[in-house]
Amino acid sequence: MDLDLSDDQELLRDTVRGLCQRHCDLSVVRAMEDDPVGFPRPLWDALAATGILGLTVPAEHGGSDMTMLDAAVVYAELGRALAPTPNFVSVVLGAGLVRAAGTTAQRSHWLPRLMSGEAVLTAAWLEPDRGFGERGVALRAGRDGEGFRLSGVKRHVAYAAAADAFVTLARTDAGVTMFVVPAGADGLSMTQEFAVASDTQYRINFDSVTVGPDAVLGPVDGGWALWDEVMYDALILLGAYAAGAARAAHELTTQYAKDRKQFDKPLGAFQSIAHYLADGISAVDGAETLVYEAAWARSENRDVRRLAPMAKLFAGRTFRDVTATGQQIFGGVGFTLEYDIQLYFRRAKQLQLAWWSDRYLEELIAADVLDRPSP
């Protein structure tokens, strides 16, 4: 079993790492914290110019037509840099949903613009005090002539201020339906929210927002099935992001353990510290292997109903554990804003909670193990 990257994948990895170093070092990550827009335009433009934004989209729609394994390589590097970009919501989710179920007109309108970075789509799906599953979708979409009228609230909508439209999950008489709602629609208002990762999120209020029939994405009664299908690809890439970030955090902590001295010797010379670092790198290697297995299986059109949630669950926990250990090894200074380890630590916990939490992922895995319906 050969786990090495191909020459093309190594080139892809080096390209993305170089772009992140040039356009998004950790000083830029700091500058983007709680920024209303939330991402550096030079990095976004560079990712578009190199074809990274269209990695898994067919060439006929302006994409690069690469595999999920290639995309995992990219996301490991984005995680390593903690790169703040709308790539996940706009390209993985937005373009993925439009490609999977959009009409010819919707694909022609959105996909080329998403691949070029000209337009941004983001997902509006989580609601206050609601769960991650289908029953959590309560925002109402009632019939209004040939169109629909949407009323309700969505939370944790990433990069909403930069979005041209929101892919919105709502409940119609037929069930969960997906809509592409323009950002400037009458009755739509936004309030910025502040999270532990200091990334850019918004609360979106839909006050009788009217959309036409052309705003429906996919079957009227098939919104959740479509969302669920695309989320499995998303979980793999979130796992890759977490694994890449965990490795960077471990390297940061290891270097500190070599440089920082107590009692005239490096911290890493103390057995307990050395064992913590050994446990950490073992978990990081395991997370990477699981993520790449899931990505390979998806690239080979194999079933990932168990592997995808496992990848996000294990890599997310590894990211959280490695950064928590890093905070302990750095000591009190690790919690100060001047040190980089806290940037990773805060994002690790939020990633565990976002885009299907650990508990929901465990339910998905259990459903597959026990051969029972998903939650």
Side-chain angles (χ1 to χ4, degrees), residues 3-325:
L3 297 178
D4 290 336
L5 300 179
S6 68
D7 291 343
D8 287 344
Q9 288 165 344
E10 288 185 353
L11 177 61
L12 180 62
R13 178 198 61 196
D14 295 343
T15 298
V16 178
R17 185 173 297 186
L19 292 176
C20 290
Q21 289 172 343
R22 190 154 49 249
H23 300 293
C24 189
D25 61 19
L26 291 181
S27 68
V28 176
V29 174
R30 281 185 165 85
M32 289 295 103
E33 290 199 323
D34 293 330
D35 181 84
V37 176
F39 67 95
R41 194 74 207 193
L43 175 62
W44 187 244
D45 292 341
L47 292 173
T50 53
I52 301 300
L53 298 188
L55 200 65
T56 59
V57 175
E60 63 187 281
H61 297 302
S64 302
D65 206 17
M66 295 189 188
T67 68
M68 183 59 65
L69 192 54
D70 299 324
V73 172
V74 170
Y75 263 76
E77 290 305 314
L78 295 178
R80 182 183 184 86
L82 298 181
T85 80
N87 186 287
F88 178 75
V89 291
S90 187
V91 178
V92 178
L93 293 178
L97 292 165
V98 171
R99 183 165 63 94
T103 63
T104 300
Q106 288 170 330
R107 291 176 180 176
S108 298
H109 176 75
W110 284 111
L111 291 179
R113 298 173 64 216
L114 295 175
M115 299 308 97
S116 68
E118 174 190 350
V120 171
L121 282 179
T122 190
W125 74 292
L126 278 178
E127 302 185 21
D129 303 318
R130 308 288 299 183
F132 289 94
E134 183 176 1
R135 288 177 293 179
V137 179
L139 186 144
R140 183 65 187 167
R143 282 285 184 181
D144 184 53
E146 294 185 356
F148 293 85
R149 188 178 296 272
L150 280 64
S151 297
V153 176
K154 295 290 185 179
R155 296 185 65 191
H156 307 300
V157 181
Y159 302 104
D164 295 86
F166 306 102
V167 178
T168 305
L169 278 71
R171 189 166 295 279
T172 64
D173 291 338
V176 174
T177 306
M178 201 168 293
F179 299 89
V180 180
V181 181
D186 291 338
L188 190 149
S189 61
M190 302 186 300
T191 305
Q192 188 170 357
E193 297 180 307
F194 299 97
V196 66
S198 295
D199 58 352
T200 300
Q201 302 181 23
Y202 283 82
R203 174 190 176 103
I204 311 294
N205 292 314
F206 294 79
D207 185 8
S208 295
V209 175
T210 302
V211 295
D214 58 338
V216 177
L217 184 60
V220 174
D221 61 348
W224 183 258
L226 173 60
W227 175 261
D228 189 72
E229 176 186 349
V230 173
M231 271 298 294
Y232 278 86
D233 286 353
L235 293 177
I236 296 171
L237 297 184
L238 289 173
Y241 186 99
R247 182 168 291 280
H250 190 275
E251 290 173 359
L252 192 66
T253 305
T254 301
Q255 190 60 53
Y256 183 79
K258 292 178 179 179
D259 297 338
R260 182 74 165 91
K261 292 186 177 180
Q262 287 285 354
F263 305 107
D264 295 324
K265 61 181 180 179
L267 289 179
F270 293 93
Q271 188 179 66
S272 60
I273 301 297
H275 286 183
Y276 281 136
L277 293 172
D279 290 341
I281 198 61
S282 299
V284 171
D285 283 355
E288 285 184 345
T289 301
L290 180 55
V291 165
Y292 284 130
E293 181 184 1
W296 170 83
R298 182 66 181 84
S299 298
E300 295 292 318
N301 292 317
R302 299 194 179 197
D303 185 13
V304 294
R305 304 295 292 185
R306 185 185 304 186
L307 278 172
M310 284 171 63
K312 201 262 186 181
L313 176 68
F314 187 75
R317 283 182 176 172
T318 297
F319 186 19
R320 176 68 170 81
D321 291 346
V322 164
T323 56
T325 299

